[in-house]
Amino acid sequence: MTAFMQFLKDLLYDSGKAFGLIYDGGHKIWAGFNLPPLTLDIIFLLIAAACAAAFIAINALFIIWFERKISARMQLRRGPNRVGIFGIFQTVADTIKLLIKEDITPKAVDKLAFFLGPLLVMTSTFMVFLVMPFGKGLIAADLNIGVIYILAVTGLTVLGLLCAGWGSNNKYSLIGGMRSAAQIVSYEIPNVLVMLTIVLLSGSMKLGDIIAAQPTVGYVWMQPVAFIIFLIASNAEINRGPFDLPEAESELVSGFITEYSGMKFAFFFLAEYTNLFIAGALGAVLFLGGWTGPVLPPFMWFMIKSYFVVFLLMWIRWTFPRIRVDHLMEFAWKVLIPIALLNLVVTAFVIKFH
Amino acid sequence: MAEKLPASLEKLNTEEYLLNMGPQHPSTHGVLRIILKLDGEVIKDVVPVMGYIHRGMEKMFENRKYDQIIPFTDRTDYLSAVNNNFAYVIGVEKLLGVVVPERAEYLRVILAELNRIMSHLLWLSAYGMDVGAFTPLLYIFREREEIIAMFELITGNRLTHNAFRLGGFKYDVPKTFFEKLEKFISHFADNLDEYETLLINNVIFKSRTVGVGVITKALALSYGVSGPSLRGSDIKMDVRRDTPYSAYSKFVFEIPTGKNGDTWDRCEVRMNEMRQSLSILQQAMQGFPQGDIMAKIPKIIKPPAGEVYTAVEGPRGEVGFYIISDGTEKPYRVKMRVPSFSNLSALKDMTVGFKIADVVAIMGSLDLVIPEIDR
Amino acid sequence: MLKYIKDIITGAITLLEGMAITFKYMFQKPITLQYPEQKAQMTTRFRGRLVMPVDEEKGDNRCTACNICVKACPNYSIAVERLTDETGKPKPKAASFTYNMGTCMFCNLCVEVCPFSAIVMSEEYELAVYDRKSLIKDLVAEKYKLKGRKGKWWISKFKDEEQV
Amino acid sequence: MTPVEILEKIKTKFPGVASTEAFGILNMETEQNKLRPLLVFLRDELNFDFMNFMTGVDRPTENIIEVVYQLFSFTTKASIVIRVKLDRTKPEIETVSDIYRTAEWHEREAAEMFGIVFLNHPDPRILLLPENFKGQPLKKDFRHPNMTPLPEVK
């Protein structure tokens, strides 16, 4: 009995250990059936992927509801409050509506690009979850190039957006796609520089090590400037206000998603909000100490910190007007990158001579 | 470019392309269509196309009696119904030679100024939306709702009030109106400052509007631009001051002007105008006289033959009515001078060379109402 | 260089001011009116659709089919037919009062000219229907009763409001 | 400047301009070929720098179409109305859109509503009416097949 309790406790507080037990036990039983162990590994991987997919879906449902509630509170509204208690199932209802909607493919679109757009966007967001440390040991694969992997994978989103913009055969969409390409490529650079500072401080690119190297309060106190730059740059990279130029609805109607409907539209929506969560999670991992924290299970701490960053991003989005496209570029190249570089150099010097 | 490019580069064919903005577009504020010629994101040419809701108002006026025209004037510029009524009503009263009682004049001024604030508030919220700030809209609509409630109290309708009658008002003000007005005046100035911090003085907003859509003094005058859009170009022209109508000569107010004639100046002028309207409201409320609310006018309105042009300062600029009477029950010809029509005609000179996002910002700063342009 | 830094700092301050305002509003009460459950209180002068209320003393409407409202209507949305007796002589009574809500502008001009206070704008505002034909109503046949109001309230409704 | 002073100034330059005054606004009639010089004179010498509107008035009984220009002076706060009478069968007049830019759109509107031809107009397309619309709706004798006569009320 106590062993079981211990197992449950491990599952919450030291998930790596608990999963190791399951993994070993599974393999022992599997070996009894005389089957090759590789198949079991694949099955385990598929289960993990399914878990990640389920997490993305549920988390997106929640985060959309959260955003709608937060924006409503800021705007003196009530937000969704009809479906379920506090309207928590509003997103579920919306999703069902999107699923049963007709999936329109306009005649003049480039079918391959049109189809590939949402798929690529979704895939690239999905892939980030491979290295996301949800808790102690609760990580699919703690790659030793974690940070670079994240940067590389999120950069893929551009391809999807460009595909969508080009394939839609719509002038608004094309402008939206082009804008997003320029924007994401530019804002990748300050983001890289900021992450580089963190890597310098922790001495590792492995996300697990970065979390372990942080003091309990996180790097945010040592690197406030870097944190702000990270917030701005990642906000721009996930195309959210005030940097929502690619889908600026007052200028480009909806940018690259103008022609999409039904499930493909839902994919973009899902990707946008998952990206928002990823930005929040990265902020939590790099600056707020990841899953470390007292009393509560590591997973809870991770979610709380992530949602705190997400809340900051939402707060920014619902306060500011949209920036203009040339100012956006100027801001990245003339303000963010110099400051990020300066910050990097100063950090390097301090580390060297401390 | 002086030097010749290498042959491989010359082959690069870049194309300008036409983008159709509207008639169904979130930021053309109605069914206006703008054909943009784009080089990348830069505007090369702008051609507005309109007439999608042309209703032939002027023809309709010729077939209606003088008092029946008033509700139609509401429906040209639906955001400043009272000011349209105002221009028409004082025109017919001039033809008739009717002197309106002072109480009615004061009430007219109060309604017109409230209407101006209401219209500017809607402009501010919609402009916030145009530049991508959604939140101010919902704050501003609180105040707007208060004003609409006041209008509902007096006239019974929320947007197309049909408030004025020839010779004054049909019904006197209800008592609760002034309580509401006092409450509104007491907190409005503070809220206005808050919106100014939230939107107008925001650094992103400023970077989007300062130096954008500049129109020079001479060009603005030549295009017949009027109202806040003209005053943004540092021209102190205001019908309320230049040719005072109704009771406006009795109030002290300033005419705010901008300096450079860019989009931000136009916004700032509107913000300051709301403050001035507030001060006029205060003065009118304090000096509100007793007496009749309706002048004695004949039952069948037959103005003597003649013609008159009367203009008032609407929220968007000079609203004018050119009325020709031939002595019958119906006007011979009514021409509406609408501010948005002239304001829009200057769009091309403002936008060429700027970006798509600026077109939205410039159009928003002109505060266009499309039914007014089409009539 | 100094200007560059100053611009960034002043810009950041305006941004923070804006964020402070939205944060402040987060803790205020929402102003939403939960529409189908809560309904706005209409004012006395509210102009809903045109109705011809039944005068309880008379047990009938007060219309005399004098056609003044028909003449006053800018959009010609009213048509009145007179009742005739057996000999074909017209009586001061409306046989039908056809009101076309589809063309009505809710301008109140017909109500203002009516010398008998036979018609009035009601407080109804949910006027949408599925069929264009149901916008045309015969007010005489409708025998409308003002909801929640007693007697001849509509005749004296402007006197009920306290004037300044 | 009072209307009388303005009138005197104009009379010295353009003799034979008929004028009346109504409601404090000068009402002036001129001829087709004198219109442009008169407007230039008013704009440059008398500071009438703002054109409120221009429009047409159809008068079938006299067989004329009037073109009306309303000007306002921002500096002197004076107003003036200038009218030109055109032959109703062949209404033609020079454009003034290069003197007052706002006249460009107003002229386009007047052209489609009254059938007035503005010579040398830079952009003589229709403005408000549908592209295949026939007739000039603001003329008094305009009839459209979809028009129904208003009911007669006794």
Side-chain angles (χ1 to χ4, degrees):
Chain A
M1 196 61 207
T2 45
F4 184 67
M5 287 302 285
Q6 181 64 35
F7 174 73
L8 277 185
K9 203 182 164 206
D10 278 352
L11 204 60
L12 278 176
Y13 286 92
D14 193 359
S15 319
K17 208 169 148 195
F19 284 127
L21 277 175
I22 294 172
Y23 184 80
D24 289 344
H27 265 290
K28 252 180 214 158
I29 296 164
W30 200 254
F33 291 111
N34 267 341
L35 291 163
L38 184 69
T39 42
L40 185 67
D41 282 348
I42 290 171
I43 289 171
F44 271 130
L45 275 179
L46 284 177
I47 290 171
C51 285
F55 174 79
I56 289 176
I58 292 167
N59 184 55
L61 290 184
F62 180 73
I63 210 169
I64 292 170
W65 174 83
F66 185 65
E67 163 133 59
R68 291 178 69 170
K69 271 293 188 199
I70 289 287
S71 64
R73 292 303 314 188
M74 280 184 184
Q75 296 167 344
L76 301 170
R77 294 185 287 123
R78 280 172 198 274
N81 63 353
R82 295 291 155 125
V83 192
I85 188 163
F86 296 122
I88 190 108
F89 294 120
Q90 182 65 48
T91 343
V92 180
D94 287 348
T95 319
I96 292 168
K97 181 207 128 196
L98 279 174
L99 278 170
I100 59 178
K101 242 177 118 171
E102 189 190 352
D103 191 358
I104 301 164
T105 310
K107 231 179 188 174
V109 299
D110 185 336
K111 289 234 167 52
L112 183 67
F114 190 73
F115 185 71
L116 219 56
L119 213 66
L120 274 173
V121 174
M122 200 56 220
T123 315
S124 64
T125 38
F126 192 76
M127 277 160 78
V128 179
F129 281 86
L130 181 67
V131 293
M132 200 50 85
F134 284 101
K136 196 174 180 187
L138 202 60
I139 181 168
D142 200 355
L143 303 179
N144 53 5
I145 49 158
V147 172
I148 293 198
Y149 173 81
I150 286 175
L151 284 170
V153 167
T154 48
L156 275 178
T157 322
V158 183
L159 274 181
L161 300 187
L162 266 179
C163 271
W166 179 260
S168 295
N169 195 12
N170 175 322
K171 289 170 179 176
Y172 287 120
S173 303
L174 181 60
I175 298 176
M178 291 301 168
R179 276 183 178 186
S180 75
Q183 180 178 336
I184 293 178
V185 168
S186 312
Y187 276 84
E188 200 105 287
I189 299 163
N191 225 352
V192 170
L193 290 172
V194 164
M195 287 187 187
L196 214 59
T197 15
I198 299 300
V199 169
L200 270 183
L201 275 174
S202 61
S204 169
M205 284 200 225
K206 207 172 177 177
L207 290 179
D209 290 354
I210 291 175
I211 292 171
Q214 282 182 50
T216 38
V217 283
Y219 279 143
V220 64
W221 301 113
M222 294 156 83
Q223 293 284 353
V225 179
F227 183 58
I228 290 165
I229 292 174
F230 170 80
L231 276 185
I232 295 168
S234 52
N235 202 9
E237 246 191 289
I238 56 179
N239 294 335
R240 280 170 57 84
F243 305 101
D244 56 345
L245 294 144
E247 46 189 295
E249 91 275 1
S250 64
E251 298 151 26
L252 302 182
V253 192
S254 253
F256 55 86
I257 36 180
T258 308
E259 297 288 348
Y260 284 94
S261 64
M263 207 47 216
K264 291 199 192 98
F265 173 78
F267 264 149
F268 276 117
F269 216 63
L270 200 63
E272 187 192 325
Y273 279 93
T274 312
N275 274 330
L276 174 64
F277 176 74
I278 288 170
L282 271 182
V285 168
L286 297 177
F287 292 96
L288 300 176
W291 43 259
T292 54
V295 188
L296 289 174
F299 179 71
M300 291 294 285
W301 270 113
F302 175 77
M303 291 306 273
I304 289 169
K305 284 172 180 175
S306 307
Y307 268 90
F308 173 70
V309 181
V310 166
F311 168 74
L312 282 183
L313 293 179
M314 285 176 182
W315 185 8
I316 291 170
R317 175 183 176 170
W318 291 107
T319 305
F320 299 136
R322 188 179 304 114
I323 202 164
R324 206 172 75 196
V325 68
D326 51 334
H327 292 141
L328 178 89
M329 293 294 147
E330 270 175 28
F331 186 61
W333 294 96
K334 288 187 184 165
V335 179
L336 282 188
I337 292 175
I339 294 178
L341 264 175
L342 194 74
N343 189 44
L344 177 67
V345 171
V346 169
T347 314
F349 269 101
V350 169
I351 290 170
K352 181 80 183 163
F353 299 109
H354 194 58
Chain B
M1 216 175 282
E3 57 181 320
K4 210 166 180 304
L5 289 167
S8 57
L9 272 182
E10 272 190 344
K11 265 197 171 172
L12 189 73
N13 253 339
T14 58
E15 255 178 74
E16 290 164 338
Y17 75 63
L18 295 179
L19 185 69
N20 225 334
M21 215 178 200
Q24 308 289 329
H25 189 277
S27 58
T28 51
H29 299 287
V31 277
L32 173 69
R33 175 173 157 219
I34 298 174
I35 304 171
L36 300 170
K37 194 183 189 188
L38 294 177
D39 177 13
E41 289 227 6
V42 181
I43 313 288
K44 291 279 159 184
D45 198 0
V46 184
V47 180
V49 180
M50 57 226 160
Y52 290 93
I53 36 173
H54 176 65
R55 293 154 290 180
M57 280 274 186
E58 285 169 14
K59 189 76 181 175
M60 272 156 83
F61 291 165
E62 289 175 13
N63 296 307
R64 298 291 190 281
K65 285 176 227 156
Y66 280 96
D67 49 348
Q68 288 179 338
I69 291 173
I70 303 171
F72 287 100
T73 61
D74 286 352
R75 277 144 182 94
T76 53
D77 178 356
Y78 48 83
L79 293 179
S80 67
V82 165
N83 280 294
N84 294 327
N85 288 351
F86 212 150
Y88 173 73
V89 163
I90 58 174
V92 179
E93 278 161 7
K94 231 178 189 178
L95 277 174
L96 282 169
V98 171
V99 179
V100 182
E102 205 185 9
R103 190 181 171 86
E105 298 268 38
Y106 266 66
L107 189 55
R108 280 181 179 181
V109 169
I110 289 179
L111 288 188
E113 291 307 315
L114 271 180
N115 202 199
R116 188 186 319 280
I117 294 179
M118 184 174 119
S119 171
H120 281 346
L121 283 178
L122 189 93
W123 158 81
L124 182 62
S125 53
Y127 197 57
M129 290 273 274
D130 282 348
V131 296
F134 189 77
T135 308
L137 175 112
L138 288 133
Y139 298 161
I140 291 161
F141 264 52
R142 283 179 311 171
E143 261 82 58
R144 190 165 176 269
E145 182 62 35
E146 265 183 73
I147 301 179
I148 287 180
M150 282 189 255
F151 272 116
E152 209 182 315
L153 206 61
I154 288 193
T155 66
N157 256 13
R158 292 167 65 84
L159 207 60
T160 48
H161 318 294
N162 188 20
F164 290 11
R165 300 286 180 277
L166 297 173
F169 288 85
K170 179 79 181 172
Y171 307 116
D172 209 336
V173 261
K175 199 176 189 181
T176 39
F177 172 72
F178 282 102
E179 290 162 20
K180 281 200 169 185
L181 186 61
E182 217 161 320
K183 200 177 143 223
F184 172 75
I185 290 173
S186 66
H187 68 73
F188 181 63
D190 293 339
N191 285 355
L192 208 57
D193 291 342
E194 206 169 80
Y195 305 145
E196 201 160 13
T197 357
L198 183 60
L199 189 66
I200 305 282
N201 284 336
N202 187 302
V203 66
I204 300 174
F205 183 86
K206 267 192 166 174
S207 70
R208 280 199 61 173
T209 50
V210 174
V212 170
V214 182
I215 186 156
T216 56
K217 271 188 196 183
L219 207 57
L221 270 177
S222 175
Y223 267 120
V225 177
S226 55
S229 310
L230 180 68
R231 291 193 281 275
S233 301
D234 199 13
I235 296 175
K236 246 191 175 131
M237 191 162 136
D238 191 318
V239 185
R240 288 176 293 175
R241 177 68 57 83
D242 295 341
T243 48
Y245 53 93
S246 196
Y248 272 108
S249 48
K250 289 170 190 151
F251 302 116
V252 184
F253 60 97
E254 276 166 32
I255 300 167
T257 50
K259 277 201 184 74
N260 310 315
D262 58 14
T263 309
W264 194 78
D265 279 340
R266 291 193 278 272
C267 298
E268 191 63 17
V269 164
R270 284 206 175 84
M271 295 303 281
N272 288 331
E273 222 166 73
M274 279 193 256
R275 298 196 173 97
Q276 294 303 327
S277 292
L278 203 62
S279 112
I280 295 177
L281 277 179
Q282 265 165 339
Q283 292 169 38
M285 202 174 72
Q286 273 154 15
F288 198 68
Q290 295 290 331
D292 282 340
I293 198 87
M294 186 78 166
K296 279 206 166 60
I297 60 157
K299 207 146 203 188
I300 295 163
I301 295 154
K302 273 188 183 174
E307 55 176 73
V308 69
Y309 174 75
T310 44
V312 302
E313 183 71 25
R316 266 152 279 281
E318 184 185 324
V319 187
F321 275 85
Y322 179 63
I323 306 164
I324 301 178
S325 155
D326 58 351
T328 58
E329 273 189 321
K330 294 170 182 175
Y332 186 76
R333 166 106 172 89
V334 178
K335 160 79 185 171
M336 280 193 81
R337 191 255 185 235
V338 281
S340 293
F341 186 80
S342 306
N343 291 2
L344 180 65
S345 65
L347 183 70
K348 189 181 167 184
D349 281 73
M350 293 184 186
T351 41
V352 171
F354 291 105
K355 303 206 162 44
I356 302 178
D358 293 330
V359 176
V360 175
I362 292 166
M363 284 214 310
S365 77
L366 287 176
D367 194 11
L368 302 170
V369 169
I370 312 303
E372 186 185 44
I373 298 171
D374 290 350
R375 279 161 290 156
Chain C
M1 187 65 197
L2 208 66
K3 193 180 169 286
Y4 172 82
I5 293 166
K6 210 182 136 201
D7 279 356
I8 290 174
I9 289 169
T10 48
I13 286 169
T14 59
L15 294 182
L16 288 176
E17 275 174 344
M19 285 175 80
I21 288 171
T22 41
F23 195 70
K24 189 189 93 191
Y25 275 112
M26 257 180 92
F27 301 102
Q28 289 195 2
K29 225 179 139 230
I31 48 166
T32 318
L33 198 70
Q34 300 272 308
Y35 163 58
E37 291 98 42
Q38 304 172 349
K39 287 193 176 171
Q41 182 64 44
M42 288 300 128
T43 56
T44 322
R45 296 182 184 186
F46 182 75
R47 306 208 293 256
R49 77 173 182 86
L50 192 68
V51 293
M52 193 182 265
V54 175
D55 188 341
E56 276 170 16
E57 280 172 25
K58 244 172 131 185
D60 201 358
N61 60 57
R62 299 164 63 91
C63 183
T64 58
C66 63
N67 264 346
I68 291 181
C69 51
V70 183
K71 282 179 209 158
C73 182
N75 272 350
Y76 304 88
S77 10
I78 308 175
V80 184
E81 258 179 56
R82 249 181 198 205
L83 207 65
T84 49
D85 57 10
E86 301 85 50
T87 55
K89 221 178 119 197
K91 284 201 289 187
K93 197 100 211 103
S96 72
F97 188 101
T98 318
Y99 165 57
N100 187 351
M101 216 198 319
T103 57
C104 179
M105 290 202 292
F106 304 93
C107 65
N108 212 26
L109 288 180
C110 51
V111 180
E112 280 170 22
V113 294
C114 184
F116 305 101
S117 302
I119 43 176
V120 71
M121 289 284 189
S122 80
E123 292 181 16
E124 285 172 57
Y125 56 90
E126 289 148 317
L127 300 174
V129 288
Y130 286 104
D131 183 5
R132 211 176 251 211
K133 275 181 199 135
S134 39
L135 284 172
I136 300 168
K137 291 194 168 92
D138 186 357
L139 297 189
V140 173
E142 199 185 24
K143 291 206 188 309
Y144 190 86
K145 281 204 177 78
L146 281 175
K147 283 171 198 97
R149 305 287 187 185
K150 271 185 270 167
K152 300 186 199 170
W153 169 80
W154 77 90
I155 299 171
S156 59
K157 75 172 181 179
F158 289 101
K159 280 173 198 141
D160 279 6
E161 279 179 314
E162 283 176 273
Q163 310 273 315
V164 185
Chain D
M1 245 189 299
T2 58
V4 182
E5 284 170 25
I6 297 171
L7 190 64
E8 274 170 15
K9 278 197 178 170
I10 298 170
K11 279 270 167 72
T12 53
K13 195 92 186 263
F14 296 90
V17 194
S19 68
T20 49
E21 194 194 328
F23 304 107
I25 292 175
L26 206 57
N27 225 318
M28 186 164 285
E29 206 180 304
T30 184
E31 282 150 35
Q32 218 166 319
N33 49 359
K34 280 187 191 156
L35 173 73
R36 279 180 60 91
L38 178 64
L39 285 184
V40 172
F41 171 74
L42 285 174
R43 184 190 64 175
D44 294 343
E45 318 254 321
L46 295 179
N47 286 322
F48 281 100
D49 39 18
F50 190 85
M51 178 183 271
N52 296 75
F53 68 91
M54 66 96 19
T55 188
V57 182
D58 183 31
R59 295 193 189 276
T61 47
E62 299 162 52
N63 201 29
I64 50 167
I65 287 182
E66 275 180 353
V67 185
V68 182
Y69 301 85
Q70 161 104 18
L71 307 178
F72 175 75
S73 167
F74 163 60
T75 34
T76 61
K77 318 287 181 210
S79 287
I80 188 167
V81 177
I82 296 170
R83 45 184 67 237
V84 183
K85 284 182 177 164
L86 304 180
D87 184 12
R88 194 163 184 272
T89 45
K90 194 169 172 267
E92 276 183 355
I93 192 166
E94 281 276 315
T95 177
V96 296
S97 58
D98 51 335
I99 306 172
Y100 293 100
R101 299 288 286 274
T102 183
E104 184 181 329
W105 280 21
H106 279 107
E107 276 175 1
R108 272 169 74 182
E109 198 195 331
E112 67 187 345
M113 296 294 178
F114 293 95
I116 305 169
V117 178
F118 289 94
L119 303 168
N120 303 328
H121 192 276
D123 186 16
R125 291 178 300 133
I126 54 158
L127 188 70
L128 296 174
L129 294 176
E131 268 164 40
N132 48 5
F133 194 85
K134 285 196 179 65
Q136 289 89 34
L138 278 183
K139 276 189 171 173
K140 288 283 173 188
D141 53 2
F142 171 75
R143 290 287 175 274
H144 192 269
N146 291 352
M147 263 166 100
T148 46
L150 295 169
E152 278 295 313
V153 186
K154 263 179 267 168

